[in-house]
Amino acid sequence: MHKVILKPGRDWSIRHHHPWIFSGAIGKIADDTSATGATVAVVSAEGDVLGYGWYSPASQIRVRMISFVPDIVPGTEQIAASVAAAVGRRAEFFVDGFTDGVRIINAENDMLPGVVADFYCGHIVCQFTSAGAEVNADAIAEALMHHVPGALSVSVRDDVESRRKEGLPCREGLRRIAGVEPPQMVEIAEGPVRFRVDIWRGHKTGFYLDQREARARVGALSAAKDVLNCFSYTGGFGLYAAASGANRVTQVDISAEAMELAKQNAALSAAASGGQHAAFSAQTVFEYVVADVFKYLRECRDAGRTFDLIVLDPPKFAESKAQVMKAARGYKDINLLAMKLLRPGGILATFSCSGAMDAVLFDKILAEAAADAKKDFQIIGRTGQSADHPVALAFPEGHYLKGVILRSMK
Ligand code: SAH
């Protein structure tokens, strides 16, 4: 096995189980012929083996750790064991019946760097964003089929931009690598609501599983409220609000396709009402708006329209640290507008999924927006990624999704 030898003094983060080795930390590579995606031993300048990782010559992140156990050289069985462990940590999802949409592997945080695997009612959709993940795709698929209860198929989406940084090609569509041919649409349950998930072309692997807990939290605050759900995608927060008895739900998204699914999901959820988590309200009036939220909020302001509860769940505004300041302006703009549209005592549930923007900065932006809106707010809750998207304590980069629930004091 090839060896990557670190520069003197550059072993601290690996000894603390941070999974990334940047090119600048590498002193020498014992045999530079090491192949893309190969497993390499990581060795300190003093000669201690610190663990093993996947090698990626095209990337600034030259090695991603798959094991910190020096005396066991990992082979395919290591991958199967990591997959099995990740599945085991999700055991409660497969027994409690709340949902059949679950993230099974959350990349670095589950010791499988660059591997995402989402389960939709038996069909598993993967994204591979590291060279090692790509090389080991078949072993990962085989382990998923073997260990995931009710697994029917494993497919791959290669349309994630970050693949380019690893020198991996991007292409559209879904590629089956194990099991049966996956259907075009998969229908999942989440408590009282139902979602049709387009695993071929939908965002991410088809759905935002990471917001499940936040959707439930915000939904529970929605009884008898007039709710504006901005960046609604396929209806998520708005459907939960209806399930809690909201009076009115306005879904706003720029994508007509997503809005079409939001309509179908409302009908499916109403039809499914009466089941275990029944409560989907027949009383809720839905309004569907295909529009740019930045413009729509201004139209509401100009028309003097107000709401009891507003959700802001925009796409990632900052892809990198360099874009954070520009992103900050976008976040401030929509939050300021939304704050102004709230009725007294109204609630704003606001999110940022930009990993490059930390929680402290996000709070600061919200405080600035509140000052400009001339309103005082209380923080009544914070949310993060759902429990099936865990963050490794040694890997703060794994935490990207932040939610703040604010209540207007007047
Ligand atoms: N809240 C959703 C996920 C939102 S993802 C859920 O719980 O499932 C972000 C959404 O913002 C996407 O659906 C995208 O189409 C939409 N979007 C991006 N830019 C937008 C804009 N300027 N105006 C309105 N919608 C936008």
Side-chain angles (χ1 to χ4, degrees), residues 1-37:
M1 180 177 291
H2 300 296
K3 279 186 191 159
V4 166
I5 301 160
L6 301 179
K7 286 180 182 162
R10 299 302 289 269
D11 53 343
W12 189 92
S13 72
I14 294 299
R15 289 190 192 274
H16 285 75
H17 293 192
H18 190 280
W20 290 348
I21 300 174
F22 287 93
S23 56
I26 296 175
K28 85 175 191 252
I29 296 168
D31 181 346
D32 211 7
T33 57
S34 195
T36 298

Side-chain angles (χ1 to χ4, degrees), residues 112-237:
L112 286 160
V115 180
V116 156
D118 290 341
F119 173 93
Y120 297 108
C121 224
H123 298 284
I124 299 166
V125 184
C126 298
Q127 286 174 331
F128 298 133
T129 54
S130 71
E134 184 94 344
V135 165
N136 290 287
D138 289 336
I140 293 165
E142 194 182 313
L144 283 166
M145 286 300 285
H146 186 72
H147 292 289
V148 175
L152 298 171
S153 72
V154 179
S155 305
V156 185
R157 288 273 297 263
D158 288 333
D159 51 3
V160 206
E161 270 303 307
S162 57
R163 283 172 59 83
R164 294 193 202 280
K165 290 191 192 151
E166 290 275 315
L168 301 171
C170 288
R171 51 193 157 226
E172 298 289 304
L174 197 68
R175 208 158 41 82
R176 177 180 65 109
I177 52 173
V180 304
E181 189 62 27
Q184 195 66 39
M185 287 276 178
V186 183
E187 186 186 321
I188 62 161
E190 253 192 26
V193 293
R194 300 289 178 274
F195 295 102
R196 295 190 79 201
V197 177
D198 182 348
I199 55 178
W200 290 71
R201 296 182 315 124
H203 296 176
K204 307 225 271 184
T205 59
F207 194 59
Y208 291 87
L209 296 170
D210 53 356
Q211 284 284 41
R212 183 192 313 107
E213 288 171 15
R215 283 191 284 269
R217 187 92 172 265
V218 173
L221 298 167
S222 306
K225 300 261 169 80
D226 191 351
V227 176
L228 174 62
N229 181 21
C230 297
F231 308 97
S232 56
Y233 191 49
T234 58
F237 284 94

Side-chain angles (χ1 to χ4, degrees), residues 22 54 62 111 192 214 268 383 405:
F22 287 93
W54 284 336
R62 201 57 50 93
M111 287 301 287
L268 280 175
T383 67
I405 306 176

